Amino acid sequence: MVDVSLVGETETDGVVTVGSYKLVNGTRNFCKETCTIDGGGAMTVKEMEGCIQAGRDALEGWVTECGATVVALGEVGIGNTTSSAAILAVLTENQTSIETVCGFGARLVHDPDPSVLQKKVDIVKRALVLHQFMTPNGDTEPEKKLADSKALAESVLSKLGGAEIASLVGAILQASEMNICVLIDGYICITAALVAAYLSPDATRVFLFATRSAELGGYNCALE
């Protein structure tokens, strides 16, 4: 387990290690903050690139150590189904139907509350408007019509993504380059896999879809 963005210091115990590019203050509020440094949002572009590299480094080190031929990736995050829904809304062109990619998340799946789900949808809409992926009246704006899919994915990831998602993207890209199969398990991982596919379409050749997420709408959109 690699800590890439927990706020403050992390006690290492042989299981948890601290990534070389850890964001010690966590990521920013993607509904309220944009980054004037390099056009990022939740993360600066440099921070995003560092998190991607942290995922690459961790995957390469582990595979080299144990000789794995297949990896199963996972994450621990709070609120990251919301970040994933925002990313998927843009990359699957569902900005005008955000409800399609939003589910109840880990906490509410056992006690569904439609009013809380609506708040989640509203949060995603606010983030997409702030970062110019859609207009306030609901018209889609694919980030100033970015023609390059790689540039779009990088923009989406830095503006909307969590550090753990970026690290998963890096791990997937590294696995692809090392010809290591990746078990894609869960909503966060399939979001990272879709970003990785935008950055390097060849990466999809190592994807093995292991389970279907409880966030079924967004999961199906990503698969398609």
Side-chain angles (χ1 to χ4, degrees):
M1 184 177 293
V2 181
D3 171 17
V4 291
S5 65
L6 283 176
V7 175
E9 295 184 5
T10 302
E11 292 186 11
T12 57
D13 56 6
V15 175
V16 178
T17 61
V18 177
S20 302
Y21 303 91
K22 174 179 173 176
L23 309 184
V24 294
N25 295 314
T27 53
R28 298 168 189 80
N29 186 328
F30 76 168
C31 275
K32 297 180 178 179
E33 299 177 73
T34 58
C35 180
T36 58
I37 298 173
D38 57 11
M43 298 175 282
T44 66
V45 173
K46 184 177 181 179
E47 288 170 338
M48 175 197 70
E49 291 172 344
C51 289
I52 289 175
Q53 188 61 48
R56 281 182 170 277
D57 293 346
L59 189 288
E60 183 178 22
W62 185 76
V63 168
T64 300
E65 179 181 339
C66 68
T69 57
V70 61
V71 295
L73 303 176
E75 42 63 46
V76 179
I78 300 300
N80 56 3
T81 60
T82 304
S83 297
S84 293
I87 292 170
L88 288 181
V90 178
L91 296 186
T92 64
E93 299 184 358
N94 276 287
Q95 297 100 311
T96 57
S97 54
I98 292 170
E99 295 81 359
T100 303
V101 296
C102 276
F104 286 103
R107 185 175 71 87
L108 290 172
V109 70
H110 301 295
D111 185 21
D113 184 338
S115 66
V116 177
L117 178 58
Q118 185 57 51
K119 288 181 180 178
K120 184 175 183 178
V121 170
D122 292 342
I123 286 170
V124 172
K125 285 182 178 178
R126 285 166 52 198
L128 297 191
V129 170
L130 176 65
H131 297 291
Q132 300 181 5
F133 294 113
M134 65 184 290
T135 64
N137 64 5
D139 293 333
T140 59
E141 287 191 1
E143 228 276 312
K144 303 185 183 71
K145 305 292 184 182
L146 282 174
D148 186 280
S149 61
K150 180 178 179 181
L152 176 61
E154 290 174 340
S155 178
V156 169
L157 186 58
S158 65
K159 288 176 168 64
L160 304 174
E164 76 287 359
I165 298 174
S167 296
L168 287 170
V169 170
I172 291 168
L173 293 174
Q174 187 65 34
S176 172
E177 292 173 13
M178 298 176 72
N179 292 316
I180 303 295
C181 290
V182 181
L183 295 180
I184 307 298
D185 181 14
Y187 189 61
I188 313 303
C189 283
I190 199 170
T191 300
L194 184 60
V195 175
Y198 265 76
L199 296 176
S200 176
D202 188 54
T204 58
R205 65 189 169 77
V206 300
F207 292 0
L208 297 174
F209 296 97
T211 62
R212 297 179 76 84
S213 168
E215 306 277 312
L216 197 53
Y219 194 87
N220 285 340
C221 287
L223 279 175
E224 292 171 3

